[in-house]
Amino acid sequence: MIKNQTLSLQDVVVQGKGNIVSDMGGEKVMLSVHNGKYYNLGEIGGKIWDSIEAPITVTQLVATLVADYEVDQSECEQQVISFLTHLMDEKLIGVENQWAI
């Protein structure tokens, strides 16, 4: 049985290629050319998307969000990992284990 990959705070994430992203009323929306689906990333999801333009660890991403928003670090970690896992499942981001680099 193949298990789904899970994200950790040490993983490095980066935007996938082949997505058309636009700002609409303060929120990011995206069209995946690969799978033909539209996504509304929202305001904070858009901030995450912009932050992963270049490879970044999940830990660094969480630190950026905690500094920019009034959010508990533990809650932020859970929400960011959940959001990134969804993007990963949809093949919208690339993920590398930092220790394997």
Side-chain angles (χ1 to χ4, degrees):
M1 182 165 114
I2 299 174
K3 293 175 83 175
N4 288 346
Q5 181 181 357
T6 56
L7 288 173
S8 75
L9 294 172
Q10 293 77 33
D11 287 335
V12 175
V13 294
V14 66
Q15 293 177 358
K17 305 293 183 216
N19 300 303
I20 300 169
V21 182
S22 182
D23 287 309
M24 294 187 77
E27 296 186 350
K28 290 252 192 248
V29 293
M30 175 177 17
L31 168 65
S32 169
V33 175
H34 173 72
N35 64 23
K37 292 183 182 178
Y38 285 96
Y39 302 88
N40 182 344
L41 302 179
E43 179 185 341
I44 296 175
K47 168 85 171 165
I48 292 171
W49 184 258
D50 289 343
S51 297
I52 65 172
E53 184 175 359
I56 185 173
T57 65
V58 176
T59 298
Q60 291 169 315
L61 178 57
V62 167
T64 297
L65 294 170
V66 167
D68 290 349
Y69 298 96
E70 287 187 32
V71 61
D72 175 72
Q73 179 158 342
S74 177
E75 176 69 18
C76 188
E77 289 172 356
Q78 292 173 10
Q79 294 296 321
V80 167
I81 286 175
S82 175
F83 180 75
L84 292 173
T85 297
H86 178 69
L87 295 181
M88 180 181 67
D89 291 346
E90 294 290 318
K91 299 182 181 7
L92 301 172
I93 62 171
V95 179
E96 293 182 9
N97 184 292
Q98 181 179 2
W99 307 118
I101 295 175

